[in-house]
Amino acid sequence: MTTRPDWSDWLWVFDGYDPRRERLREALCTLGNGYVATRGAAPESTASPAHYPGTYAAGVYNRLTSVLAGRRLEHEDLVNLPNWLPLRFRIHPDDGPGGQWFTPDRHLEGLVRYRQVLDMRHGTLTRSLRFRDRHGRHLGVEQVRLVHMGDPHLAALSTTFTAEDWSGTIEVESALDGMTGNTGVARYRDLASTHLTRLSTGHEDPDTVWLRCRTSSSDIRVVQAARTRVPTGGGDARVRLAGFRAAHRLTLPVRPGREATVEKTVALHTSRDPAISGPFQAALDRVRRAPDFAGLLDTHEDAWERLWRRADLQVPGEPGRILRLHLFHLLQTLSPHTEGLDTGVPARGLHGEAYRGHVFWDELFVLPYLNLHFPEVSRSLMEYRYRRLPAACRAAREAGQRGAMFPWQSGSDGREETPELHLNPRSGRWLPDRSHLQHHVGSAIAYNVWRYGQATGDTGFLHTKGAELMLQVARFWAGKAEWDGGLERYRIRGVVGPDEYHETYPGADRPGLDDNTYTNVTAAWVLSRAAELARTMPVSRRQDVFDRVGLRPQEPDEWEEVARRLRVPFHDGPDGPVLSQFDGYGRLRELDWDAYRERYGDIRRLDRILEAEGDMVDRYQASKQADVLMLGYLFPPAELFSLFRQLGYDVGEDDWRRTVDYYLARTSHGSTLSGVVHAWVLARVRHREAWRLWEEALASDVADLQGGTTEEGIHLGAMAGTLDLLQRGFTGLQAREDALVLDPAPLPELSEFSFSARIRGVAVTVHMKPGQLLIGVPAWEETPVRVELPGLAPTRIAPGEDRLLPLAAT
């Protein structure tokens, strides 16, 4: 069905050295395995305007207190751990003057070649350079690093030196450096940043040093052990220890025609790890048992090969190469090693410190992809939410509500981590942050539970932990909704929608907005699905869940009453009524979009521009990203219109298209998610615009379209969203209990592509072709798959069979 790909499409090559682009490249060249990730910083680099070494372990958070605008504020961060990378070198001073430690900046004039290659197929980063010192001596260096995908506690760096036209010695220092902090985001420079304390160092074997420390408040013990060897032989080594740094200093003889190689292998353990007696001995034992670099590379490549088989993706041209990069970073952040870890979906991956490593609603964009490839990872990520269900219920009680009120930003223990203040870098002012009112995050969690159950058939989760999550979110919405006798409708007041620009009404003395359409419609959906689940679960499980959550028998009926009577506001647009983003949106001022684009060019962050001018975006009909239109991302048209009918509103295709046009003209696309959502919504009606928006979503990180944000961490939701747009958005793929349903919306610019997926445990391959769809079930499967396409009778595809099906003309 598919041809062997050209492996050159698996490489990202960065030629030359540009200090202005290094931090971006470091983020894009991050290596990880779901347990830990390390940015692609040069091994000899330290934190500077050009470089930012960073290593982050999933779920390792720490809380500090800072003083901002005269207020003491707590904040929790994903901790930048000790740097395991340091390996610096120089031509030995005894071989002549000028023996400076090499850095690209210091030796810029002498750089003859400088290339860095990210190999996505094998999960490695290679740096090759050649430089000439001021005495005319040429030295070639090649470094290959990996963060092991088979053993998540291991990482390694191999460095090979070649003296081209001289003989002498090279001095090499291989180290572990504990003098790290969370200083990678300029906006956070006023925050406390030192998370590690009680640092100590030592050595065990002649070739092994260690460093251990603790996080200052979460008290997580962190241990690294580094083994440094010279497999090519020769040279001597000395151990150099300080309180924060453990190093080997080696002297290597070099001459033309003879390479000298240094191999550094590092083990990392924390006190969060299962099945160990302690992180110190575990790290030492693991690094002692580790094979040499070649052995590690073999097993690392084997592990990546297994992942790629489960996530096969063939898309021609540059979109395919970018999609593979997105998939590469998704798997480095959320791999099978994520299963069993107590970790959520960090919005910026394990690639940097933006958003402080917090968990938002990005699993709404991530889980649909994982459900069809790595469902065990999806389940683990939902269990992160389940473990924090008691905290969400406690938060609801403290707010005078029932059920579960999940935080907009989550970290270690489930409390609300949204900061009270945020910095506008344009004005330099710290401003109130009211995004904690985005209670729709609870609906996203319930939606993920339901869709996971549909895609996988995992009733073991859906009817236990998943049911508890859904019922408690439904209970929250039922209590949050207030009856308005004048309108004869339930209303949800004081919330913030996905748009995020609008947090309050102009001149209001309270934050929040009323009747956000996205919030109300998704709440109605949750209430209906929860009531359905409460009635259809097996009796034995139903009683157990009801007992655990204390559900009253009449509650599902109450939920359905609210689900039928929640208010959805409308207002008049230029061409007729449109759905209002929230009550009163249509009364806000219109913005002169052309004037602002002419004045500022890039107006994605319109909120910052207006605030710096002394204005506020709350006064205008302007959205950062899809809000109302998010409904078109979550629900196919038939399901969406059915939802509106359930609520008593006659909304059809014309009304929806009018609404889409209205908000497209009033959206600045200030979020990387915006292009994904809008491309999805437009895929069936406006192909050219959908393609443009998808291309923008693809380029958002590789081209850093947000202007300096990708270097602080990739945008994981947008990356996963582009993948899901291909596998579900352009194919109309839905996994139902008895069938694989497809309703393709092919774009002319993307007429052929293929991918693999697992539908309720059965592997399938999907190959879109012009006017045709090729569906296959591998021979090793035991169960046939029933496929439904519009205009065709359902067909069953047996194991070992490929079936070519015609597509209806669009």
Side-chain angles (χ1 to χ4, degrees):
M1 282 183 60
T2 58
T3 57
R4 182 176 176 83
D6 178 358
W7 292 122
S8 64
D9 290 341
W10 293 68
L11 304 179
W12 282 82
V13 180
F14 301 84
D15 274 319
Y17 176 75
D18 182 354
R20 298 167 300 179
R21 304 285 289 174
E22 268 297 286
R23 282 196 171 202
L24 171 61
R25 187 206 55 77
E26 289 172 358
L28 295 175
C29 291
T30 294
L31 298 182
N33 56 29
Y35 172 81
V36 66
T38 296
R39 287 168 59 88
E44 72 279 352
S45 67
T46 56
S48 68
H51 302 285
Y52 192 71
T55 292
Y56 310 93
V60 176
Y61 291 97
N62 190 61
R63 195 175 303 278
L64 296 175
T65 300
S66 299
V67 178
L68 294 175
R71 300 163 63 182
R72 290 177 60 83
L73 302 173
E74 278 192 354
H75 53 94
E76 187 176 66
D77 299 78
L78 187 69
V79 177
N80 185 9
L81 299 178
N83 184 12
W84 67 268
L85 275 177
L87 190 142
R88 57 180 182 170
F89 56 89
R90 62 181 176 181
I91 296 175
H92 199 283
D94 291 346
D95 289 330
Q100 295 179 307
W101 295 108
F102 171 83
T103 69
D105 301 278
R106 183 179 294 146
H107 295 82
L108 191 58
E109 291 186 3
L111 276 181
V112 179
R113 182 183 72 252
Y114 195 86
R115 168 175 282 195
Q116 299 177 85
V117 178
L118 178 67
D119 182 338
M120 297 180 290
R121 181 190 178 194
H122 302 116
T124 60
L125 177 62
T126 299
R127 179 176 73 154
S128 57
L129 63 94
R130 179 171 177 258
F131 78 94
R132 179 184 65 252
D133 73 0
R134 60 183 181 177
H135 300 287
R137 296 173 293 190
H138 290 82
L139 180 67
V141 182
E142 180 170 283
Q143 295 180 303
V144 183
R145 76 176 69 167
L146 59 87
V147 175
H148 206 281
M149 187 54 83
D151 185 333
H153 299 280
L154 289 176
L157 172 68
S158 173
T159 305
T160 299
F161 301 97
T162 304
E164 299 181 9
D165 47 18
W166 60 283
S167 298
T169 54
I170 295 175
E171 192 170 21
V172 178
E173 184 181 78
S174 169
L176 300 173
D177 183 9
M179 286 297 286
T180 56
N182 281 55
T183 60
V185 179
R187 297 186 304 283
Y188 306 159
R189 66 168 63 94
D190 294 333
L191 299 177
S193 59
T194 302
H195 292 277
L196 302 177
T197 186
R198 297 174 64 178
L199 280 79
S200 60
T201 58
H203 67 99
E204 290 293 307
D205 304 320
D207 57 6
T208 302
V209 296
W210 52 261
L211 183 153
R212 56 184 172 184
C213 57
R214 293 175 185 252
T215 54
S216 62
S217 62
S218 54
D219 200 32
I220 299 170
R221 288 172 288 153
V222 179
V223 180
Q224 292 178 352
R227 184 187 73 197
T228 304
R229 291 177 176 172
V230 183
T232 51
D236 57 21
R238 305 180 305 279
V239 173
R240 299 166 66 94
L241 302 176
F244 60 88
R245 186 179 176 89
H248 276 105
R249 187 73 66 86
L250 304 97
T251 303
L252 307 178
V254 293
R255 65 174 185 266
R258 177 183 176 182
E259 295 179 340
T261 298
V262 176
E263 292 184 358
K264 180 179 185 180
T265 306
V266 177
L268 166 69
H269 274 280
T270 80
S271 54
R272 286 168 44 89
D273 297 339
I276 61 171
S277 59
F280 179 73
Q281 196 59 48
L284 288 175
D285 290 345
R286 193 170 295 272
V287 82
R288 284 173 182 147
R289 293 194 301 264
D292 62 10
F293 187 85
L296 285 171
L297 183 61
D298 283 346
T299 53
H300 172 69
E301 290 179 349
D302 288 345
W304 267 109
E305 186 65 28
R306 290 192 294 273
L307 286 185
W308 289 124
R309 282 201 300 267
R310 293 180 65 179
D312 182 50
L313 175 72
Q314 302 298 328
V315 179
E318 190 67 2
R321 199 167 73 101
I322 296 175
L323 282 169
R324 192 169 284 124
L325 179 71
H326 288 183
L327 180 53
F328 178 71
H329 284 302
L330 176 63
L331 294 178
Q332 292 194 122
T333 307
L334 303 168
S335 79
H337 296 302
T338 304
E339 185 184 6
L341 295 178
D342 184 26
T343 185
V345 177
R348 305 301 285 272
L350 299 173
H351 297 59
E353 295 161 12
Y355 301 164
R356 304 185 178 101
H358 291 169
V359 176
F360 292 70
W361 69 329
D362 295 77
E363 63 242 56
L364 191 62
F365 301 88
V366 170
L367 263 61
Y369 180 84
L370 294 178
N371 288 343
L372 300 180
H373 300 274
F374 301 93
E376 73 279 12
V377 178
S378 289
R379 178 168 177 157
S380 179
L381 294 168
M382 288 185 293
E383 287 180 342
Y384 166 87
R385 295 296 193 179
Y386 179 76
R387 294 186 194 100
R388 286 149 185 82
L389 181 58
C393 292
R394 186 166 56 250
R397 287 195 301 272
E398 292 171 355
Q401 300 292 339
R402 294 179 292 161
M405 185 175 77
F406 281 93
W408 175 237
Q409 295 188 33
S410 181
S412 62
D413 61 8
R415 76 181 78 176
E416 179 62 77
E417 300 293 351
T418 300
E420 295 180 31
L421 300 173
H422 67 91
L423 177 69
N424 180 358
R426 277 187 175 269
S427 67
R429 287 188 284 266
W430 288 93
L431 307 167
D433 189 330
R434 303 183 180 99
S435 59
H436 66 280
L437 296 174
Q438 293 194 66
H439 300 312
H440 62 81
V441 66
S443 295
I445 293 167
Y447 179 92
N448 287 330
V449 169
W450 185 264
R451 294 305 195 208
Y452 168 79
Q454 286 185 313
T456 65
D458 183 2
T459 56
F461 181 82
L462 180 63
H463 292 161
T464 54
K465 296 175 182 178
E468 287 186 50
L469 286 165
M470 290 194 68
L471 298 182
Q472 292 288 28
V473 172
R475 179 179 271 168
F476 171 77
W477 286 129
K480 181 76 172 169
E482 304 172 3
W483 178 252
D484 186 319
L487 294 172
E488 295 188 337
R489 285 281 180 178
Y490 285 98
R491 307 186 68 185
I492 296 177
R493 302 177 184 270
V495 299
V496 171
D499 160 41
E500 292 187 332
Y501 274 178
H502 297 87
E503 297 182 333
T504 186
Y505 289 104
D509 57 1
R510 67 170 177 87
L513 307 161
D514 300 336
D515 294 329
N516 173 261
T517 291
Y518 174 83
T519 299
N520 286 15
V521 174
T522 54
W525 181 90
V526 171
L527 290 161
S528 295
R529 295 290 78 73
E532 177 185 341
L533 184 61
R535 294 192 177 101
T536 59
M537 276 191 298
V539 174
S540 58
R541 285 182 168 173
R542 184 190 315 165
Q543 191 58 52
D544 182 58
V545 170
F546 283 16
D547 289 345
R548 289 180 65 85
V549 303
L551 194 73
R552 294 176 289 110
Q554 66 271 28
E555 280 190 75
D557 292 334
E558 295 169 356
W559 297 347
E560 289 195 326
E561 167 65 15
V562 177
R564 289 192 296 267
R565 304 298 296 276
L566 272 168
R567 180 174 182 243
V568 175
F570 293 78
H571 68 271
D572 289 331
D575 302 312
V578 297
L579 292 156
S580 296
Q581 185 169 305
F582 51 82
D583 184 42
Y585 184 88
R587 295 191 295 273
L588 299 178
R589 298 182 181 186
E590 290 282 11
L591 184 79
D592 189 341
W593 291 86
D594 291 338
Y596 272 87
R597 288 192 179 97
E598 184 177 351
R599 191 182 314 168
Y600 291 99
D602 185 351
I603 59 169
R604 288 182 177 89
R605 291 311 305 264
L606 186 62
D607 56 333
R608 293 175 175 174
I609 291 171
L610 288 168
E611 193 278 330
E613 291 183 343
D615 205 343
M616 58 188 297
V617 74
D618 295 288
R619 301 199 309 142
Y620 298 95
Q621 295 186 38
S623 299
K624 175 184 176 184
Q625 58 188 336
D627 195 297
V628 175
L629 302 193
M630 266 297 297
L631 296 171
Y633 179 80
L634 297 185
F635 306 111
E639 186 176 1
L640 179 59
F641 300 151
S642 176
L643 259 175
F644 282 117
R645 286 195 299 272
Q646 168 191 306
L647 287 163
Y649 297 102
D650 184 17
V651 176
E653 288 189 12
D654 290 343
D655 306 284
W656 180 247
R657 289 190 185 190
R658 206 162 45 240
T659 299
V660 169
D661 291 342
Y662 185 86
Y663 287 102
L664 274 173
R666 291 163 177 81
T667 301
S668 70
H669 302 294
S671 165
T672 55
L673 295 172
S674 192
V676 172
V677 174
H678 286 98
W680 186 295
V681 170
L682 294 174
R684 296 182 179 276
V685 291
R686 286 154 64 171
H687 291 162
R688 183 170 297 178
E689 196 162 356
W691 175 256
R692 179 185 64 80
L693 288 163
W694 191 51
E695 283 191 310
E696 185 172 307
L698 288 173
S700 59
D701 273 332
V702 296
D704 193 18
L705 295 183
Q706 296 286 329
T709 64
T710 300
E711 68 181 44
E712 303 165 350
I714 53 96
H715 298 83
L716 194 66
M719 285 188 168
T722 60
L723 293 162
D724 191 41
L725 182 55
L726 182 87
Q727 77 170 4
R728 291 194 310 131
F730 296 155
T731 65
L733 186 154
Q734 296 181 63
R736 294 183 182 166
E737 183 175 355
D738 61 345
L740 168 62
V741 179
L742 295 135
D743 185 10
L747 301 183
E749 297 87 348
L750 188 65
S751 58
E752 186 165 358
F753 60 87
S754 66
F755 60 87
S756 64
R758 296 194 69 82
I759 308 299
R760 289 182 170 248
V762 180
V764 299
T765 55
V766 179
H767 189 162
M768 284 280 294
K769 307 174 78 171
Q772 297 175 313
L773 187 63
L774 184 64
I775 307 291
V777 177
W780 66 76
E781 291 291 355
E782 298 178 352
T783 306
V785 173
R786 185 173 187 264
V787 176
E788 295 181 6
L789 271 171
L792 296 179
T795 183
R796 292 173 67 85
I797 301 177
E801 182 183 5
D802 293 333
R803 186 75 61 83
L804 189 63
L805 303 172
L807 297 181
T810 57

